[in-house]
Amino acid sequence: MMARIKAVWAISALTVVSLVLIPPQWLAVKRGWKLQRHLPHIWHLAATRLVGIRVHQVGKPAVDRPLLVTSNHASWVDITVVGSLMPLSFIAKSEVSGWPVFGLFAKLQRTVFVNRTRRTETGKVADAIAERMAQGDAMVLFAEGTSNDGNCVLPFKSALLGAATRSLGDEETVWVQPLSVVYRSLSGLPMGRQFRPHVAWYGDMELAGHLWGIFKEGDLDVIVTWGEPVRVTAGTNRKVLTRDLETQVRGMTAAALRAEALPRPQAETA
């Protein structure tokens, strides 16, 4: 009963936060104000606190721009976790734009949508990503191309990674930084392989039920680990770059899953 009350309270509070932030964000996007980068960050910070998600950071995001962040992907929760780290935008599959609520939020966060069934649109998407990065926006790519059960890292896809770095106009360098997201504990207890899919959302899982479960249970500890930024130039081999980033994320994920103690939650002390 208490879990249900907690979930209803969290949803109600987040609805109020959303109703307050959506109008100014819509106007900021419409007018091109710098505020459009920061309001979604505030929303994600509020969401993590209201739901009970504690984010423990290892390492720091790169300060150099243009910046592309390549992350593993286990759940829609990743969006809120990564979004709470700093102002940024995502690269997502085109289907997300039509999702109830999530689609609206994605558009307000200025997500770049990718239609993976039409390879002919890769050039246009690359140009859109490149333009945003050249403007100083940090962009996040879930490089596996899909989500998984949270216990492993799937092979990274090189196509969009290469497209995002090949069309930077006058920019001679772009920085690509690997990021690992690992769900470690629920209500203070280690999840283990069998319980991690409670948070992971993949396959044919029904979204509404999974969403309700997260709000009802909450109390999650997440380890996010920043890898070493990779300097990319016109001469960088795309496939070699992809393997390097995948190796870093795979190693960081394995280390976070093995860790005996949680790092200090920097997000709570910032």
Side-chain angles (χ1 to χ4, degrees):
M1 184 65 179
M2 289 301 296
R4 289 178 178 271
I5 293 175
K6 173 187 174 183
V8 171
W9 179 86
I11 292 172
S12 300
L14 193 55
T15 298
V16 172
V17 172
S18 301
L19 291 175
V20 170
L21 294 181
I22 285 176
Q25 177 63 8
W26 179 86
L27 188 59
V29 171
K30 201 77 172 176
R31 300 288 180 86
W33 296 340
K34 291 183 178 180
L35 188 65
Q36 64 184 336
R37 295 179 179 173
H38 300 284
L39 290 181
H41 180 219
I42 294 172
W43 187 92
H44 289 300
L45 284 172
T48 53
R49 282 157 174 74
L50 290 172
V51 177
I53 301 172
R54 291 177 293 276
V55 180
H56 307 260
Q57 286 196 72
V58 178
K60 296 181 179 180
V63 296
D64 295 305
R65 297 293 185 271
L67 176 65
L68 176 67
V69 177
T70 55
S71 174
N72 61 319
H73 191 27
S75 174
W76 57 266
V77 185
D78 299 345
I79 304 295
T80 294
V81 169
V82 177
S84 72
L85 303 177
M86 65 179 187
L88 44 75
S89 291
F90 295 91
I91 302 166
K93 58 184 180 181
S94 57
E95 297 96 303
V96 174
S97 64
W99 289 0
V101 183
F102 280 83
L104 172 62
F105 286 169
K107 292 172 184 175
L108 288 174
Q109 191 152 3
R110 302 182 301 138
T111 297
V112 175
F113 296 106
V114 181
N115 188 335
R116 293 174 183 160
T117 64
R118 297 183 179 179
R119 294 185 178 275
T120 55
E121 294 186 4
T122 301
K124 293 181 180 179
V125 174
D127 290 341
I129 295 170
E131 181 180 355
R132 293 284 299 280
M133 292 170 64
Q135 292 171 356
D137 289 331
M139 302 298 296
V140 178
L141 172 67
F142 292 115
E144 295 159 298
T146 186
S147 55
N148 61 66
D149 65 2
N151 290 310
C152 64
V153 175
L154 300 177
F156 278 15
K157 308 291 185 182
S158 65
L160 196 57
L161 179 61
T165 58
R166 69 173 173 81
S167 301
L168 292 173
D170 295 332
E171 297 290 345
E172 296 181 353
T173 299
V174 60
W175 293 93
V176 183
Q177 186 171 22
L179 178 69
S180 165
V181 180
V182 169
Y183 297 92
R184 268 292 306 275
S185 65
L186 177 64
S187 299
L189 299 175
M191 286 187 192
R193 295 182 64 88
Q194 68 272 34
F195 293 114
R196 198 161 286 112
H198 166 80
V199 180
W201 184 64
Y202 60 101
D204 297 324
M205 287 183 175
E206 191 263 328
L207 180 58
H210 194 271
L211 182 66
W212 172 252
I214 294 296
F215 274 100
K216 189 170 67 171
E217 300 296 337
D219 202 11
L220 291 169
D221 285 288
V222 189
I223 299 178
V224 294
T225 308
W226 294 97
E228 287 297 322
V230 179
R231 183 175 181 267
V232 179
T233 64
T236 300
N237 184 288
R238 186 185 71 190
K239 294 188 180 296
V240 172
L241 171 64
T242 302
R243 287 197 297 270
D244 181 16
L245 296 168
E246 179 187 326
T247 299
Q248 281 205 57
V249 173
R250 196 179 297 277
M252 294 186 298
T253 299
L257 289 171
R258 291 194 308 264
E260 295 182 2
L262 293 168
R264 186 175 181 179
Q266 296 178 19
E268 293 185 0
T269 60

